[in-house]
């Protein structure tokens, strides 16, 4: 990682994990293991903020961690496995999002400045971040952050380019906006097109936005550590349409929890060779030279942690869901249900315990299941048939 702000992107080590592990950091047996898993002739698939946020959404999935750490294209892999995911935004949602973002940023960001409480637009600097390539844009962003912080002025950085070291390789990230405050604070601004009704928005969408913003905050922290007087706010500004209009409104979202999870996941990726070391020898995800059956076997050799939330965050979710259903795993019912069932890991075991066929009667989970089944049987019991001539009227 470079110590110079002007360099922008962190320089990867001479040999990186995603391109072949460094001998100084790994066991000899796993040198280049990640490149073998991906395919020796295949370039690593780049990671973006959405992919890194998805890692934080499911931190227990070793399969996702390994595939992302090795740089495997999960969308292409899912298609090869016969379970392609309809991933990404629709064209309509994409156009609506772009139109709303343009409204927020129009006239020098007047609407955003209104939300920030800034009355004079002329008092805000709008640095030019244009440069050649992601490395050049990252360097130009770093320079603009340093200059505006030193000047002690308001500044809006429109689509800055940030760099974050991920498993030894730089991932280039592009937040919607970064606001530089006169006191040296940097705040990430996320612009989303889902509505904020009566001051609140859909919790799952806000959570996804918070995880994505936490990735940007993490990248900014690296630059702030090299900039005198700079500090990154751990609360981001979420800008959404107000109610059913197109008028922008904003809410401050605390991302400290998401930031902590993301940091742990990235640290886990830097030790990805430990996960790769547990994969059987000969396993590869080389889509050019492997049949669908071989790829399926390779994917199944790595444990996964499927949950219904994966359907909106991971390209392999449909494949993992199918396998989880075939195995009768309780994870298909959701994380909360899985947590309540304790040591009962399959739906078959749950039903057998409820019927009294298996399980320890002293186990609180088994006891609760049996009481729930008894209540269900009682509620569904068929009432006795009326005798002929029985008066059905209410008693006086």
């Amino acid at each position: 990682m470079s110590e110079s702000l002007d360099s922008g992107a962190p320089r990867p080590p001479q040999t990186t994990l995603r391109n072949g592990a460094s001998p100084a950091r790994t066991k000899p047996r796993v040198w280049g293991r990640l490149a073998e898993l991906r395919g020796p002739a295949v370039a690593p698939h780049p990671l973006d903020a959405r992919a890194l946020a998805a890692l934080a959404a499911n931190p227990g999935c070793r399969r996702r961690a390994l595939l992302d750490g090795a740089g495997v294209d999960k969308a292409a892999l899912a298609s090869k496995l016969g379970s392609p995911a309809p991933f990404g935004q629709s064209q309509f949602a994409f156009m609506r999002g772009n139109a709303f973002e343009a409204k927020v940023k129009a006239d020098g960001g007047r609407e955003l400045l209104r939300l920030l409480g800034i009355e004079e637009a002329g008092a805000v600097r709008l640095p030019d971040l244009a440069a050649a390539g992601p490395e050049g844009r990252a360097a130009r962003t770093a320079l603009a952050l340093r200059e505006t912080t030193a000047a002690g002025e308001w500044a809006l950085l429109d689509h800055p380019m940030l760099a974050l070291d991920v498993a030894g390789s730089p991932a280039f990230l592009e937040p919607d906006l970064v606001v530089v405050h006169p006191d040296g604070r940097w705040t990430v601004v996320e612009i989303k097109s889902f509505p904020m009704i009566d001051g609140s928005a859909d919790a799952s969408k806000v959570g996804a936005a918070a995880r994505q913003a936490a990735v940007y905050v993490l990248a900014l922290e690296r630059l702030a550590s090299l900039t005198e007087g700079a500090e990154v706010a751990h609360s981001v500004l979420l800008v959404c349409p107000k109610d059913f209009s197109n008028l922008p409104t904003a809410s401050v979202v605390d991302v400290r929890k998401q930031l902590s999870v993301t940091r742990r996941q990235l640290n886990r990726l830097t030790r990805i060779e430990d996960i790769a070391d547990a994969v059987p020898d000969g396993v590869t995800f080389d889509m050019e030279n492997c049949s669908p059956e071989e790829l399926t076997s390779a994917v199944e050799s790595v444990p996964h942690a499927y949950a219904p939330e994966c359907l909106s965050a991971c390209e392999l979710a449909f494949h993992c869901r199918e396998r989880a259903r075939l195995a009768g795993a309780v994870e298909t019912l959701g994380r909360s249900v899985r947590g309540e069932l304790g040591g009962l890991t399959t739906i078959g075991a749950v039903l057998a315990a409820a019927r009294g066929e298996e399980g320890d009667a002293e186990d609180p989970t088994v006891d609760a299941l049996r009481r729930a089944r008894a209540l269900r049987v009682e509620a569904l019991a068929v009432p006795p048939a009326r005798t002929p001539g029985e008066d059905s009227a209410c008693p006086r």
Side-chain angles (χ1 to χ4, degrees), residues 33 117 127 144 154 156 183 201 225 286 302 304 317 341:
R33 182 67 174 120
W154 285 100
L156 291 181
D183 60 0
S225 68
D286 189 349
V302 186
H304 68 94
L341 292 175

Side-chain angles (χ1 to χ4, degrees), residues 8 11 27 47-48 66 86 124 126 134 184 200 210 216 234 281 293 300 322 348 353 358 365 369 373 375 389 394:
R11 294 190 183 97
K27 301 175 183 179
L47 290 174
D48 57 14
L66 180 62
V124 180
L126 301 172
S200 63
Y216 301 137
H234 290 167
D281 292 336
E293 292 76 17
E300 293 306 309
E322 179 185 358
E358 296 181 9
T365 301
L369 287 170
R373 182 176 184 273
L375 290 172
C394 294

Side-chain angles (χ1 to χ4, degrees), residues 38-53:
R38 181 179 64 248
V42 180
H45 189 69
L47 290 174
D48 57 14
R50 288 182 180 272
L52 295 175

Side-chain angles (χ1 to χ4, degrees), residues 118 120-125 153-155:
I118 303 174
E120 298 182 9
V124 180
R125 295 180 61 177
E153 300 175 341
W154 285 100

Side-chain angles (χ1 to χ4, degrees), residues 107-132:
D107 299 326
R110 184 174 300 275
E111 290 285 357
L112 179 62
L113 298 180
R114 174 182 62 83
L115 296 173
L116 292 170
I118 303 174
E119 298 180 357
E120 298 182 9
V124 180
R125 295 180 61 177
L126 301 172
D128 182 9
L129 304 180

